[in-house]
Amino acid sequence: MRPFAYTAARSVGQAVEALADGGPGTKLLAGGTTLYDLMKLRIENPPAVIDISRIAELTRIDTSGPELVIGAGARMSDVAEHPVVRRDYAALSESLWRAASQQLRNMATVGGNLLQRTRCSYFRGGSAFPCNKREPGSGCSAIDGIDRHHALFGGSESCIATYPGDWAVALLAFDAKVDVVGPNARRTIALADLHLEPGSTPQREHTLAADELIVRIRVPKTAAGRGSTYLKIRDRESYAFALTSAAVGLTVDRRGVVGQSRIALGGVATRPWRVPAAEQTLIGERLTEAAARRAGEVAFAGAKAGHHNAFRIELGIRTVTEALMIARTRATR
C-alpha cells in the first residue's frame, strides 16, 4: 500500500481549495472507475485524493434553456437515460450507453469520462514496455509493436495511443463547451480545445491546469440533435474500446437535401477527431448512400496506417457511411 491523503469535499470551493493544497499529482475522485484501476497498477500514485462525489451541484441536469447543461458529476447512466437527451440528442445518449458496462455507467461520471487517460496495452503493461505517457522519454513500444488498435490520426514519434472515450466524440460533433473553475478564475473551454495531440509531450492529454475542475458541460440545442446517432464498431458487443466509431448529426429537408452536417470520429485518433471537410461534402446535397460513402472517404483521406491497423481505414469509411444513413432516417421522421 502507498499512503495518500483523502479529503471529501462538500462544495466546489472546497474541492478547488483542496486540489490546490494537495501538491503535485493530486487527483480528483468522482466515480473512480479509472483512477482506482491506475492506482492499482501503480501508474497513478497521487499524494492526495479529493473526493467530489458528494457535491450536489455537480450532478444537476438542466434541459430547460437554449443549451443542455449537464453537471460534470452526473452519472453516465443518468444522462444516457434522461428523456430529453434520448429524444433530442440520440448521439449523446448512445455514446454513453455504448461506452461501458451497466455497472460502470452507474458509477462513472460524465466529467471523469472526458478526462480518462489516453492509453493502450503498452501503457498498462509495466516497465517491460517503454511508454512515454507513463515515463516521459522512455520510448513508445507501440510504434514498432502490435498497433492494431492504435491511432490513424494525430500520432507522433512519441505516442500513437488512441483516445478511448465515446462521450467526448459525440460532444465534439455538437460544439459542446466545458465550464472550469480554478483557484483564481472561472473559464470556458470549447470541447474542441480540451484534448491535446501527443506531440513531444504525450503525458499532457488536456488543457486543464492541475488545479482546475470541470463543473459542467454545455451543449447548444440544435435540430441536428434529433437526426443523430453514435455508431460504434468493436471486437465484442459489450465494454470494449472502439475499432472505429462515428458521431453524426444531420438536418434534412423534404427533398432529402442536407442542411446541417456534423461528423466526428472515435477510436481512430489520439483525441476526439472532427472532420469538417467530410461534413462539407454533404451540405446542399441529397444524402444517398453514395454521398454518405464519399463523406466517409473524405473523413479518412489523411489516415496514416501502421503495421497492423490499415483494415480500420475501410472499416471507418463504412462506419461513417452507415451512421449517416441511420441519421438520415431519424432526421426525416
Side-chain angles (χ1 to χ4, degrees):
M1 294 290 294
R2 296 192 179 190
F4 57 89
Y6 171 84
T7 301
R10 299 288 179 173
S11 69
V12 169
Q14 285 183 5
V16 171
E17 182 179 351
L19 191 58
D21 292 342
T26 296
K27 296 296 179 182
L28 295 170
L29 173 67
T33 56
T34 294
L35 181 61
Y36 287 151
D37 185 29
L38 296 182
M39 288 175 70
K40 288 177 183 178
L41 293 171
R42 299 194 175 185
I43 293 172
E44 297 283 4
N45 298 295
V49 172
I50 314 303
D51 188 341
I52 59 173
S53 63
R54 296 171 175 82
I55 303 176
E57 174 187 344
L58 297 181
T59 65
R60 295 172 187 156
I61 304 170
D62 183 2
T63 62
S64 61
E67 302 174 306
L68 300 178
V69 182
I70 303 168
R75 303 297 177 189
M76 290 172 62
S77 56
D78 292 336
V79 178
E81 294 302 323
H82 192 284
V84 173
V85 177
R86 291 182 64 184
R87 183 191 69 203
D88 293 344
Y89 284 88
L92 297 184
S93 177
E94 291 169 353
S95 74
L96 289 169
W97 68 257
R98 287 178 172 151
S101 68
Q102 185 65 53
Q103 294 93 329
L104 287 174
R105 293 196 300 272
N106 287 343
M107 288 296 296
T109 64
V110 291
N113 187 269
L114 281 182
L115 299 178
Q116 63 181 300
R117 295 293 306 270
T118 299
R119 58 201 187 274
C120 72
S121 56
Y122 293 109
F123 172 82
R124 297 169 56 89
S127 58
F129 301 99
C131 172
N132 288 318
K133 280 186 176 295
R134 195 179 62 243
E135 186 179 345
S138 63
C140 176
S141 296
I143 288 177
D144 292 318
I146 299 172
D147 61 2
R148 181 176 184 270
H149 287 271
H150 288 74
L152 299 167
F153 299 98
S156 72
E157 293 182 356
S158 297
C159 182
I160 55 171
T162 303
Y163 177 76
D166 302 289
W167 170 237
V169 177
L171 289 174
L172 179 63
F174 290 98
D175 301 315
K177 300 176 181 179
V178 296
D179 292 334
V180 174
V181 176
N184 300 313
R186 296 172 178 263
R187 64 183 179 126
T188 297
I189 306 172
L191 201 285
D193 298 325
L194 179 62
H195 298 95
L196 296 171
E197 293 177 32
S200 61
T201 55
Q203 72 276 13
R204 291 194 65 230
E205 297 172 353
H206 52 74
T207 57
L208 285 184
D211 57 0
E212 288 183 317
L213 166 69
I214 294 177
V215 293
R216 69 186 64 85
I217 299 160
R218 294 186 287 117
V219 186
K221 290 185 177 179
T222 170
R226 289 213 172 191
S228 72
T229 191
Y230 184 78
L231 182 61
K232 182 177 182 179
I233 307 301
R234 45 193 165 174
D235 285 323
R236 62 178 186 270
E237 180 61 23
S238 179
Y239 191 37
F241 293 152
L243 289 170
T244 65
S245 68
V248 305
L250 300 170
T251 58
V252 179
D253 68 16
R254 293 180 179 178
R255 299 170 298 154
V257 174
V258 175
Q260 294 185 45
S261 171
R262 299 155 182 268
I263 307 172
L265 308 179
V268 295
T270 55
R271 60 173 175 80
W273 199 261
R274 193 159 177 182
V275 282
E279 296 172 349
Q280 199 62 39
T281 67
L282 298 172
I283 296 174
E285 302 290 334
R286 289 180 59 84
L287 183 51
T288 63
E289 188 161 353
R293 167 83 192 190
R294 184 167 61 252
E297 290 170 347
V298 171
F300 279 82
K304 183 180 178 180
H307 305 293
H308 311 104
N309 58 4
F311 76 98
R312 288 167 52 217
I313 296 175
E314 175 61 24
L315 183 63
I317 292 170
R318 295 185 185 191
T319 302
V320 171
T321 303
E322 184 175 350
L324 286 168
M325 300 312 289
I326 293 170
R328 183 188 70 170
T329 300
R330 295 175 177 180
T332 54
R333 282 189 302 208

